[in-house]
Amino acid sequence: MMAENREAAGGRRLLQAGLWLLIGAAAIIATAAWYWPGQQTLDIADYGGGSYALVDHRGNPFTPESLIGQPALLFFGYTNCPDVCPITLGQIAAWFEELGADAKDVGAYLVTVDPARDTAPALADYLSWAGNRVTGVTGSPDQVSSLMKAWHVTAEQVPGLDGSYTVDHTASVFLVDAGGRFRGTIAYLEAWDTAVAKLRRLATTP
């Protein structure tokens, strides 16, 4: 049993070390404020409204009702993202590992900003390394655009060589409570302790 515990602890340290190596290589430092009733400077009612109907990578419908019933992390990205998205997925995995049982009921969703390439099977393959905690969401360009508009997310294709392209996009992780309401953000590469504290508060506040 002690050996198993040492292996688990070693695995956590290795995951965190690898994550911070990626973050250090990115050489970017960012922070964001925590918004909660009585403290927010944003109008939380402006986020997440509207009507949309997409599909997740398991073939289930994704609508505003999908974000009701449990707290969740919502972020936007794409499978061909060279840096922001894999780092964010690594962070989410590490946050969940850090919080353990406190975050067992928190969901996580990656909404593609590149629906032309990110089919449900493509998202399923991309997310396979992250375990079963993150659900991919896709749809038609118009459907994805509706969801992006609801969350005030921007994305812009950047042409590359030979017809390829990348996508510049909003990189923050949105925090959503069990009622489907926006409760703030975790910025890209936000300080570890700050991000974990935000997620803990989301997970444990009724």
Side-chain angles (χ1 to χ4, degrees):
M1 180 66 70
M2 292 180 62
E4 290 177 358
N5 290 340
R6 285 196 296 271
E7 284 187 16
R12 287 193 295 271
R13 287 193 295 270
L14 182 61
L15 175 62
Q16 291 185 10
L19 174 62
W20 288 112
L21 282 173
L22 283 173
I23 290 173
I28 301 171
I29 301 297
T31 58
W34 172 254
Y35 304 107
W36 206 261
Q39 299 179 10
Q40 71 272 13
T41 58
L42 295 177
D43 184 352
I44 62 174
D46 278 348
Y47 287 76
S51 176
Y52 49 84
L54 293 88
V55 65
D56 71 24
H57 77 259
R58 301 180 182 93
N60 302 311
F62 184 85
T63 67
E65 288 70 33
S66 301
L67 292 174
I68 296 175
Q70 65 174 4
L73 304 178
L74 180 71
F75 69 109
F76 293 76
Y78 65 112
T79 62
N80 287 282
C81 181
D83 41 34
V84 172
C85 300
I87 288 175
T88 299
L89 282 171
Q91 287 180 308
I92 289 174
W95 298 336
F96 283 153
E97 178 75 14
E98 175 77 10
L99 289 176
D102 283 347
K104 65 182 177 61
D105 295 325
V106 179
Y109 297 91
L110 166 60
V111 181
T112 183
V113 295
D114 186 17
R117 293 186 292 189
D118 287 348
T119 62
L123 283 167
D125 182 65
Y126 180 71
L127 292 171
S128 61
W129 69 271
N132 60 359
R133 295 296 298 271
V134 182
T135 298
V137 177
T138 189
S140 71
D142 286 345
Q143 290 168 335
V144 170
S145 179
S146 293
L147 184 54
M148 290 172 57
K149 183 177 180 180
W151 287 93
H152 299 269
V153 167
T154 61
E156 181 180 0
Q157 287 190 13
V158 179
L161 300 175
D162 303 323
S164 65
Y165 62 88
T166 57
V167 184
D168 287 345
H169 59 88
T170 300
S172 297
V173 175
F174 295 92
L175 305 170
V176 186
D177 70 16
R181 295 176 294 265
F182 169 67
R183 292 304 188 187
T185 61
I186 297 176
Y188 177 54
L189 298 186
E190 183 147 352
W192 173 267
D193 289 345
T194 305
V196 168
K198 289 180 178 183
L199 180 53
R200 188 186 304 278
R201 187 171 186 178
L202 179 73
T204 58
T205 301

